[in-house]
């Protein structure tokens, strides 16, 4: 039956030929098929394929369907159900050439089932778990008729002031590159043409996480070496993994906006990396070339973008308005348009839409009776993955796990916050379906103990911040204050604490505080919550802080006040259950930080793999005339790779198979990991390498491998890491990727600071 459908579609295309007299090529030959179809298209139809339209008030649905039927829209985003998208695909099938639409959405960390935010997923250091989250997200999105996601977001983030830190996987090039590959393969499955897969469009290309001052949409000025060494590899990993699309960043790079950057889009992406897929501008970015100051008007903006290699214009009218005149005047070539259209058609081919335009939409009679049905969620997987993402930062005197027979005061504005539990970019998730911390703790404790809940504080006492966070939420405000006075809220919480054996305070950020356009100058927990924590500490009861946040926060004071701290980020649909599992010891935490926690915002940027310098500060020695801040301790509060467990782990001395390595050989570094505690547990053994002396300054260490290992109480395991010349390569001043002979230090540890070291020599 499918073969007959394919032949019918090809015959239909042939019967409407207005340009090419030859029959369209067989569908099995992508290049020939796309070339034949391209040859039949009018200029208006070609430009139509370059338009990616946002579903929203700026263009009513009826108008969109008319435009689609006229062949003037290539795809949409923000329509996320089969009944929404079927009429638009029907309209495409009424168009002259019946070129199918594709439907896109920001599926970042789940679709209907919301998994932990990306930064939390990275905290698991568990590639299988991360891959499962992506595969489930793809299946749920495809089942709702979506064809493409603007993900994974793999921008390296080393400035926690940037709100979109929450959307990425942290500060480390190696870790983010590993996750980038995993997510692309999870979204796309064996093929993006399969009905349960969606195409990945990696973002934001490029360097978006390095915006100056951590201020969203700001400029990026960066040396080529730093680009190639630290910031470009995660995008390249996605391309090598087969990502079908690339979303282009909003920032400028060394004075040229990414949307008009021919070096970035043409020389690097297509020529050097060999990318042959679809490029999409970010929202309205072509028009913004005028505001950037590189285009005097819309005509010049469209010219710059199409010449740079921007295939599709997201929610931007300039291609439709300006490309015909630019072509007529000779300012652009027909090939500029054709090359872009070819990639759009090629992406639709790769998504399987020419073979079956209704591949993911299906038949109306097969639509779910309730799109938001509980049965469509993957709760057990979400709970398991969320537990793996939680990071135990402090546990003085084994305050955790809690006793299920205890009376527990649960306080804080995030203890009962279903929308915040989902985090930013929560796709089609519904707050009513997310489990709050109060829900989760009550479910675990049952009749054995008691949970006394008190709000304790509002998210912030700053009305201007609340107004800002609610500005874009037209349906209902996300941040709703308790109208009582701050003191009344604290008094209620203190009363609950005095009646309890232990206090659990759920504090941090609302989800909107770690989001696009939510950059911060202050990384402290808001003052209203800090006042609450101070009052709770004064009760003398054991104090457990459950952090909910989308970025590292400055919590030095809270670290000193709390007996235990559990970093939960924004843990998703099953977050409350997952956090409760860890708090009560039903799951032993194993997460490790994928990003450094500073002692204060004044240390920003702070990251573990900084370059060596001539006057380094040495802990324990006088700081004069060394690189330090004299008014605070030098170094982070919690280092990259850090995370505790309810059990204890030890590492034996490292053994190297050799003290030399030749260019074609391999060297084995091994340690024995032992669980010396009383509980089964999991930890991450991390391998770092330092190039001791090179042709240019090099980082003090770089993550090169890791293994997450589960051991029973008392169990030991020998952990092996293989090191080859490839692990020692870097981009030198000529941007040549090569290793240099000489001495290297190998470090193995359970975080980036607590390591043991040995040395070897790479031979000529």
């Amino acid at each position: 039956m499918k073969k007959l459908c394919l032949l019918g579609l090809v015959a239909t295309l042939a019967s409407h030929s207005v340009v090419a007299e030859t029959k369209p090529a067989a569908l099995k030959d992508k290049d020939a098929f796309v070339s034949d179809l391209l040859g039949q298209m009018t200029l208006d139809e070609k430009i139509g394929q370059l338009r990616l339209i946002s579903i929203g008030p700026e263009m009513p649905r009826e108008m969109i369907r008319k435009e689609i039927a006229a062949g003037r829209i290539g795809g949409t985003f923000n329509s996320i159900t089969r009944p929404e998208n079927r009429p638009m695909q029907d309209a495409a099938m009424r168009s002259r050439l019946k070129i199918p639409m594709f439907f896109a959405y920001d599926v970042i960390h789940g679709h209907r089932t919301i998994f932990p935010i990306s930064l939390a997923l990275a905290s698991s250091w568990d590639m299988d778990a991360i891959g499962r989250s992506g595969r489930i997200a793809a299946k749920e999105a495809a089942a709702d008729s979506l064809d493409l996601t603007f993900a994974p977001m793999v921008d390296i983030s080393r400035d926690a002031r940037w709100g979109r830190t929450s959307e990425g996987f942290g500060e480390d090039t190696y870790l983010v590159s590993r996750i980038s590959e995993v997510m692309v393969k999870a979204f796309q499955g064996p093929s993006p043409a399969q009905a349960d897969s969606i195409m990945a469009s990696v973002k934001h290309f490029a360097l978006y996480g390095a915006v100056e001052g951590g201020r969203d949409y700001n400029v990026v000025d960066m040396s080529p070496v730093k680009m190639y060494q630290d910031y470009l590899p995660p995008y390249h990993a996605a391309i090598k993994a087969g990502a079908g699309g690339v979303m282009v960043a909003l920032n400028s790079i060394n004075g040229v906006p990414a949307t008009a950057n021919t070096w970035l889009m043409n020389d690097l992406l297509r020529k050097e990396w060999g990318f042959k897929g679809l490029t999409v501008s970010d929202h309205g970015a072509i028009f913004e070339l005028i505001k950037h100051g590189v285009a005097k008007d819309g005509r010049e903006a469209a010219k710059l973008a199409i010449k740079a290699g921007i295939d599709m214009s997201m929610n931007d009218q300039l291609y439709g308005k300006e490309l015909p005149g630019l072509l007529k005047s000779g300012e652009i070539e027909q090939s500029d348009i054709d090359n872009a259209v070819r990639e759009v058609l090629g992406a639709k081919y790769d998504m399987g839409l020419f073979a079956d335009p209704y591949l993911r939409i299906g038949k109306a009679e097969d639509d779910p009776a309730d799109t938001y049905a509980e049965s469509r969620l993957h709760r057990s997987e979400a709970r398991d993955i969320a537990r793996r993402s939680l990071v135990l930062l402090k546990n003085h005197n084994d305050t955790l796990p809690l006793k299920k027979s205890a009376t527990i005061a649960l306080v804080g504005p995030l203890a009962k916050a279903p929308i915040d539990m989902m985090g930013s970019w929560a796709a089609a998730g519904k707050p009513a379906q997310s489990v709050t911390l109060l829900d989760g703790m009550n479910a675990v404790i049952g009749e054995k103990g008691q949970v006394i809940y008190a709000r304790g504080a509002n998210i912030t006492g700053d009305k201007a911040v609340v107004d800002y966070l609610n500005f874009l939420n037209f349906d209902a405000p996300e941040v709703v204050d308790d109208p009582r006075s701050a003191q009344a809220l604290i008094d209620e919480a203190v009363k609950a604490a005095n009646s309890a054996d232990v206090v659990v305070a759920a504090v941090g950020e609302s989800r909107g505080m770690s989001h696009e356009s939510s950059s911060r100058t202050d990384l402290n927990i808001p003052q209203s919550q800090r006042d609450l924590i101070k009052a709770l500490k004064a009760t003398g009861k054991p104090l457990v802080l459950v952090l909910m946040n989308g970025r590292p926060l400055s919590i030095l004071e809270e670290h000193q006040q709390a007996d235990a701290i559990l970093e939960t980020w924004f843990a998703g649909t099953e977050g409350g259950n997952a956090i409760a599992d860890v708090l009560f010891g039903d799951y032993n935490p194993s997460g490790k930080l994928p990003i450094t926690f500073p002692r204060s915002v004044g240390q920003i940027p702070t990251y573990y793999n900084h370059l060596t310098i001539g006057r380094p500060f040495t802990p324990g020695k006088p700081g004069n005339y060394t690189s330090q801040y004299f008014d605070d301790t030098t170094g982070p509060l919690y280092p990259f790779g850090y995370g505790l467990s309810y059990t204890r782990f030890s590492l034996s001395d490292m053994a190297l198979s050799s003290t030399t390595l030749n260019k074609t050989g391999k060297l084995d570094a091994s340690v024995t990991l032992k669980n010396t505690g009383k509980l089964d547990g999991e930890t991450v053994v991390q391998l770092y390498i330092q190039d001791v002396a090179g042709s240019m300054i090099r980082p003090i260490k770089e993550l090169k491998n890791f293994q997450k290992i589960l051991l029973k109480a008392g169990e030991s395991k020998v952990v092996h890491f293989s090191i080859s010349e490839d692990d020692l390569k870097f981009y030198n001043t000529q941007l040549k990727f090569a290793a240099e002979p000489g001495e290297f230090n190998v470090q193995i540890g359970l975080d980036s600071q607590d390591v043991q070291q040995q040395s070897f020599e790479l031979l000529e």
Side-chain angles (χ1 to χ4, degrees), residues 248-250 259 281-290 292 314 316:
V248 185
L250 292 164
T259 311
S281 79
D282 207 333
H283 196 282
I286 296 178
F287 178 80
E288 289 170 14
L289 293 177
I290 304 171
H292 274 291
M314 180 190 286
D316 193 313

Side-chain angles (χ1 to χ4, degrees), residues 489-646:
L489 291 170
I490 288 177
D491 289 345
E492 181 186 43
V494 168
K495 181 180 179 182
N498 285 328
S499 302
D501 302 312
V502 62
V503 180
V504 175
V507 295
E509 300 179 306
S510 70
R511 72 170 186 171
M513 296 172 78
S514 277
H515 200 283
E516 181 175 356
S517 193
S518 290
S519 299
R520 293 182 63 183
T521 61
D522 181 354
L523 295 181
N524 290 318
I525 292 173
Q527 188 63 50
S528 58
Q529 299 179 61
R530 296 172 73 189
D531 292 341
L532 170 64
I533 294 168
K534 183 178 180 180
L536 294 172
K537 177 65 177 177
T539 67
K541 296 299 176 77
L543 176 60
V544 178
L545 298 186
V546 173
L547 296 179
M548 298 184 190
N549 45 294
R551 50 154 67 88
L553 298 175
S554 301
I555 56 169
L556 176 60
E557 184 178 18
E558 291 75 17
H559 171 81
Q560 295 165 343
Q561 293 168 322
D563 296 285
I565 302 176
L566 182 66
E567 174 58 84
T568 70
W569 309 108
F570 296 117
T573 300
E574 279 289 304
N577 284 331
I579 297 167
D581 287 341
V582 170
L583 288 176
F584 288 103
D586 292 325
Y587 189 87
N588 192 349
S590 61
K592 300 279 189 176
L593 293 178
I595 193 166
T596 301
F597 269 52
R599 297 174 65 84
S600 72
V601 72
Q603 290 181 317
I604 297 293
T606 182
Y607 49 95
Y608 84 93
N609 54 343
H610 58 82
L611 296 174
T612 56
I613 56 177
R615 292 188 177 186
F617 172 79
T618 303
K621 293 188 177 181
N624 288 357
Y625 303 107
T626 65
S627 184
Q628 58 154 348
Y629 296 107
F630 74 84
D631 58 345
D632 196 0
T633 301
T634 299
L637 180 61
Y638 304 119
F640 175 83
Y642 174 83
L644 304 175
S645 169
Y646 292 154

Side-chain angles (χ1 to χ4, degrees), residues 439-458:
D439 296 333
M441 291 182 66
N442 276 327
V444 170
I445 208 166
E447 301 296 321
K448 299 180 285 293
Q450 183 183 9
V451 176
I452 306 171
Y453 166 73
R455 182 177 175 96
N458 288 317

Side-chain angles (χ1 to χ4, degrees), residues 646-668:
Y646 292 154
T647 191
R648 305 287 190 271
F649 294 97
S650 68
L651 290 174
S652 71
D653 291 339
M654 186 195 320
L656 293 183
S657 60
S658 173
T659 57
T660 60
L661 174 66
N662 63 49
K663 288 182 175 292
T664 58
K666 294 194 175 186
L667 184 152
D668 181 80

